[in-house]
Amino acid sequence: MSAQFWKGKRVLVTGHTGFKGSWLTMILHAFGAQVFGFSDQVKDGWLFDIAKLQTICDHMIGDINDTEQFAARIAEVNPDVVFHLAAQPLVSEGYKFPLQTLETNILGTAKLLDNFKNWPRHIALVIISSDKCYLPRPGAQPFVETDPLGGYDPYSSSKAGCELVVETYNASFFAATSHIGLASARAGNVVGGGDYAENRIIPDIITAAFANEHVTLRAPNAVRPWQHVMEALSGYLLLAEKLYAEPKHYSGAWNFGPREQDMCAVGELVKMCYQKLGQTYQPNITQADFKETDILRLNSDKAVNQLGWHPRWTLDETLSNVLKWYRDVANAHEPLKVTRSQIDSYFEIKDGLVE
């Protein structure tokens, strides 16, 4: 990342109050960007809430499915860069609320992009997708960006649909322009401090382990591409820089996943966390009430070779930093300072964060 590029840039982050959005907001602020948020809610106890992030960004509550309100916010911000994270992010919630998931993740993306069909100046649009946008297949071969899209559950289908919307707008409206760059970013299973969502592995581990209990797993043998949230976000940010400079060259789909050796089974990840907490995990398995992909791996060679991006932390380093975050916050350290300290370390910010 280039601190000089981000300094003073007007950046719109949809979904800025979520887990990824909160970390992204803090990183952008650290690099001197002007951060404008648009999200549908802030829950008590979320990272955005406990770190008081409304103090470091232009914060607005709104609904991306409200076309007029969303368009007005975009016009007001007049952004240089857009990161679109607003989405329904959970497989389990997709089963409970399929129509809402499909509407938000597919039509919400279309409503965003429709505002830029006649955009008059330079802009980079980065749509945050998911590794679950790929059509499931047998075997453990890592997915590459040209693999077929699809999904057998509402969430995965919604992410495949989101990708098709990006392809459609690129081909139909932005291909003839030289000043609009549009890309989708497909990351692995991100973990990090401040994730308090239900049905996510790290929050479940923390809740159980801190109570000296054994977390319940529904798919201990499922393999996932685990990575720290800053690994994915560093890819998004680098992509946005390149996209802004050369829109046509960098538009399209990009994977941002961990090293091959850091993709492991859920049960293995849990054992590593308990060991780091000085505990022994006793398997506690329950029957899953919905279907998920058994093995999901990502190939990030395109990002490595063309963007110069690469993961910085091993899985061991990732989990150490994640657990330290929760321990520090449990010991009454301020969440904003704890998070910014990890940002400072990861990005090697030598002279302190921009205030």
Side-chain angles (χ1 to χ4, degrees):
M1 283 179 61
S2 166
Q4 190 59 40
F5 172 83
W6 292 102
K7 189 172 181 61
K9 283 288 190 297
R10 298 176 66 84
V11 184
L12 174 63
V13 180
T14 72
H16 68 297
T17 62
F19 169 57
K20 269 189 184 179
S22 294
W23 275 89
L24 180 57
T25 295
M26 283 184 271
I27 294 169
L28 286 166
H29 179 257
F31 277 83
Q34 301 178 67
V35 187
F36 301 82
F38 188 82
S39 190
D40 67 343
Q41 61 179 321
V42 180
K43 286 187 178 179
D44 293 341
W46 279 15
L47 178 57
F48 190 92
D49 171 51
I50 63 176
K52 300 179 174 60
L53 298 189
Q54 71 275 9
T55 63
I56 66 169
C57 70
D58 186 311
H59 166 60
M60 179 177 175
I61 293 296
D63 183 2
I64 64 171
N65 291 309
D66 184 329
T67 305
E68 292 185 3
Q69 183 190 41
F70 197 14
R73 179 58 166 169
I74 291 169
E76 174 194 15
V77 173
N78 190 26
D80 301 301
V81 179
V82 175
F83 291 102
H84 180 51
L85 287 82
Q88 192 295 96
L90 301 174
V91 173
S92 57
E93 290 298 296
Y95 279 103
K96 294 178 184 176
F97 307 106
L99 291 181
Q100 178 184 344
T101 298
L102 293 166
E103 179 183 17
T104 299
N105 294 359
I106 299 175
L107 289 181
T109 302
K111 289 174 182 178
L112 168 75
L113 295 180
D114 210 60
N115 287 279
F116 297 99
K117 287 187 302 184
N118 299 307
W119 194 254
R121 64 187 191 86
H122 230 61
I123 193 167
L125 307 169
V126 181
I127 309 302
I128 309 308
S129 184
S130 168
D131 54 3
K132 295 177 180 64
C133 69
Y134 292 109
L135 183 67
R137 65 188 178 202
Q141 186 70 18
F143 287 103
V144 297
E145 289 86 349
T146 54
D147 282 332
L149 302 170
Y152 299 138
D153 65 87
Y155 172 77
S156 299
S157 294
S158 76
K159 285 303 181 181
C162 168
E163 293 283 354
L164 292 175
V165 167
V166 171
E167 289 184 10
T168 296
Y169 272 79
N170 250 335
S172 299
F173 304 110
F174 303 144
T177 71
S178 60
H179 61 284
I180 299 175
L182 171 60
S184 65
R186 306 163 180 176
N189 284 50
V190 298
V191 297
D195 187 359
Y196 293 104
E198 297 180 359
N199 293 315
R200 282 219 278 251
I201 189 63
I202 292 296
D204 290 348
I205 291 172
I206 294 300
T207 300
F210 280 21
N212 294 312
E213 297 175 351
H214 301 286
V215 66
T216 301
L217 303 179
R218 62 177 183 265
N221 297 317
V223 175
R224 295 290 182 266
W226 311 104
Q227 61 189 149
H228 195 278
V229 63
M230 285 193 288
E231 302 277 31
L233 294 176
S234 70
Y236 303 166
L237 290 159
L238 182 57
L239 173 59
E241 288 184 32
K242 302 282 191 180
L243 194 61
Y244 190 89
E246 298 183 63
K248 296 305 99 185
H249 185 71
Y250 292 101
S251 289
W254 299 83
N255 285 345
F256 296 99
R259 299 175 181 88
E260 177 67 26
Q261 60 267 34
D262 291 328
M263 304 184 204
C264 70
V266 174
E268 184 179 346
L269 180 87
V270 172
K271 288 179 184 178
M272 291 176 67
C273 288
Y274 272 78
Q275 287 173 357
K276 287 180 176 294
L277 292 169
Q279 302 179 37
T280 301
Y281 177 66
Q282 298 295 329
N284 184 12
I285 314 301
T286 187
Q287 182 68 38
D289 55 2
F290 55 86
K291 175 65 177 173
E292 292 188 85
T293 303
D294 293 328
I295 299 176
L296 212 171
R297 299 175 184 268
L298 280 182
N299 180 310
S300 303
D301 287 350
K302 180 182 176 183
V304 171
N305 296 328
Q306 297 185 35
L307 296 178
W309 174 85
H310 59 85
R312 299 186 183 189
W313 285 350
T314 64
L315 181 58
D316 184 74
E317 290 173 312
T318 289
L319 296 180
S320 293
N321 279 284
V322 171
L323 297 176
K324 182 180 186 304
W325 191 99
Y326 284 102
R327 279 195 296 251
D328 286 350
V329 171
N331 289 326
H333 293 273
E334 292 182 19
L336 179 58
K337 289 184 178 180
V338 173
T339 310
R340 285 186 163 182
S341 176
Q342 293 198 351
I343 291 170
D344 196 12
S345 174
Y346 181 88
F347 289 102
E348 299 178 348
I349 300 174
K350 302 297 185 182
D351 299 321
L353 300 173
V354 177
E355 295 294 339

